[in-house]
Every structure is written in C-alpha cells, then in structure tokens.
Amino acid sequence: MDFSVFDAMRAGFSKVVFIIKEELYADFRAVVGDRVSKYMPVEYAFQRLEDLPAGFAVPEGRVKPWGTGHAVLAARGHIDAPFVVINADDFYGAEAFAKIGAFLQQAADGEKSHWAMVGYHLKNTLTENGHVARGVCVEKDGVLDTIVERTHIERRAEGPAYTEDGGESWNALSEDATVSMNLWGFTQEFMADLERGFAAFLENEVPQNPLKAEYFLPFVVNERIRAGAADVQVLKSGDKWYGVTYKEDKPVVMRALADMMESGVYPDPLWK
C-alpha cells in the first residue's frame, strides 16, 4: 500500500482516499494513515452495508459486503477530479501510475466517457504456489472490448492455462495475454454510472442471490462499453505485479521489494 501511494504521489496524484470498514478506522489511521498523511493528503471513506439507494433494504441475514463497485461508490463524496482505483494489497509498479496519471491529466468526457486501465502480461502476474483469478482482456487497437473472468489460472509445464471444470480439462493462454489487476482510471462522471448500475443490481440481481450477490467494478465498465457510452484505453505495463495470494508468496514479495530498495528503484526508507 505504501509503495502504491508513493508511486501515485510521484506520478502527480494529489490525495489518497482509503476505503475501509468504519470499525477499522482508528487502527488503520494509527498504522497507515497518519504515516502517509505527512506526505500526501489523506481522506477516508467507509463502505457500509446499509449504504443503499432509497427504497432498498439490506436482505435479512446479509453480512457480505456489496463488492468492489459499491466500495468505490462509498467514496463518491470525496471525488472531485479524475481518479484511479486500485487494490490496496497489490504492488503495481511505478510505470503503471506514471502512464495512467499522464492519461488522466488529459482525460475529458465528450459524447462518451473516456477511461483507462493498466494491463499486465499474464506471465508477470502468476504465482508459483497455486492458481489465481484474472480478468483476461479482449482488446482491439489498444481499446478494451471486454474482460473475461478466469477464476482458475495456473502456470503449467506447457505454459499458462485455465480450467473451468476443476482440472478435468485445460485451455491454454498466452504468456503475453493482457490481464487486468484492477488498476482503473476514471473521470469523475463514472460515479453517476456506478450509482445507476447499483440500483439496477439491487433490483435485478440481489433477489436471485440475496446473501452473496456482488456488484463488481468490471461489470459496470463492460456494461458502459456495450452501451456505447464509454471506451477504455488499455495502457500496458512491463512491470512485474506482486501480491500475496498464498502465504508462500510473502517472502518472495518481501525479497522483491527489498531488492528494489537496495537497487535504488525506491528510497530506503521509503518515507524520509
């Protein structure tokens, strides 16, 4: 998280909004927020289960959060400019923030919305310790057509492949296939799209699965593309993505970050 904020700051972003559970606020601020706020303005948004449009109520027994689309919607009161959405527990690399920051400085909506995402080579996002879920991007001339969710991708002897039947059969994927790691760049008008889509989700999807249905950010993006209301430029990063999907990944990530600090890619300590 610190590395992402540091890279965003170097790329010209002006503040960070942490979207968290309200009950975590005191601890999160003490452990993370107060440190970061010395270098960049920090604001907090709380994702609340009961934060619903008028006329809707939380289904009885529902405890699961509403998903990534709702999480971003929770920050609507803090967004007054083009913005980036990231996962807090992923390492994206400086190139990603530099490219999407440059895009957003020129971003302006016209007849349709113009957004961007950073895509990674699949080979740079795999773990040696099990399978991963990735959004495989279908694009044309650098513009996103759709994202196909593959929930079980593994690095195999013959190359990356995914299965949809528990390993009974495998489908090959190119090592250089572009995948989304949920690094998105939006104009602020995207919040209105999120609000409209969330109401439709509550009305149409939740009754079918009231306890577990989730409102995912890529679903909203896909819907806007299909409606001809938005296009999404795919910005490519050659950096290696790092994350801790399995406990065995942790020492690998720690070593990689330490190496980057030792080689001068990042200062040591990060925040001086």
Side-chain angles (χ1 to χ4, degrees), residues 106-221:
Q106 307 298 322
D109 291 337
E111 291 184 2
K112 63 167 59 176
S113 298
H114 302 292
W115 305 328
M117 59 157 286
V118 176
Y120 288 77
H121 297 297
L122 175 60
K123 63 185 177 185
N124 289 338
T125 74
L126 299 175
T127 175
E128 302 292 341
N129 300 304
H131 70 270
V132 296
R134 296 287 180 259
V136 180
C137 300
V138 179
E139 57 183 296
K140 182 178 181 180
D141 299 327
V143 176
L144 184 67
D145 181 71
T146 190
I147 292 181
V148 181
E149 296 294 331
R150 301 300 184 193
T151 59
H152 191 128
I153 302 175
E154 290 185 15
R155 190 191 302 275
R156 297 170 62 80
E158 61 275 19
Y162 69 92
T163 180
E164 297 179 312
D165 54 16
E168 291 293 323
S169 61
W170 291 89
N171 304 279
L173 287 168
S174 168
E175 287 190 337
D176 290 320
T178 302
V179 297
S180 168
M181 301 307 300
N182 281 332
L183 199 166
W184 298 93
F186 297 111
T187 50
Q188 66 188 93
E189 288 77 12
F190 179 64
M191 285 300 186
D193 294 321
L194 275 179
E195 287 191 289
R196 286 190 294 268
F198 188 48
F201 161 81
L202 291 169
E203 183 173 352
N204 300 319
E205 303 296 328
V206 171
Q208 302 176 46
N209 191 2
L211 302 185
K212 294 185 178 181
E214 290 188 72
Y215 185 52
F216 292 115
L217 192 65
F219 292 174
V220 184
V221 175

Side-chain angles (χ1 to χ4, degrees), residues 72-126:
V72 176
L73 190 57
R76 58 193 177 275
H78 301 266
I79 302 300
D80 56 4
F83 64 102
V84 157
V85 177
I86 67 168
N87 294 335
D89 56 353
D90 289 332
F91 174 86
Y92 293 99
E95 181 183 9
F97 288 95
K99 284 188 172 182
I100 207 160
F103 173 88
L104 289 177
Q105 286 186 14
Q106 307 298 322
D109 291 337
E111 291 184 2
K112 63 167 59 176
S113 298
H114 302 292
W115 305 328
M117 59 157 286
V118 176
Y120 288 77
H121 297 297
L122 175 60
K123 63 185 177 185
N124 289 338
T125 74
L126 299 175

Side-chain angles (χ1 to χ4, degrees), residues 16-20 25 28-30 32-34 37 42-46 78:
V16 57
V17 181
F18 291 117
I19 304 169
I20 60 175
Y25 171 70
F28 186 93
R29 180 171 179 175
V32 178
D34 286 346
S37 65
V42 169
E43 298 177 8
Y44 299 90
F46 303 127
H78 301 266

Side-chain angles (χ1 to χ4, degrees), residues 216-257:
F216 292 115
L217 192 65
F219 292 174
V220 184
V221 175
N222 276 340
E223 188 278 326
R224 292 285 81 197
I225 292 173
R226 288 287 164 268
D231 56 48
V232 179
Q233 186 172 339
V234 181
L235 309 173
K236 302 294 180 63
S237 173
D239 284 343
K240 182 170 174 55
W241 165 92
Y242 289 99
V244 182
T245 305
Y246 302 93
K247 64 179 181 179
E248 293 84 2
D249 295 332
K250 183 178 178 181
V252 176
V253 176
M254 292 176 66
R255 183 68 258 167
L257 295 177

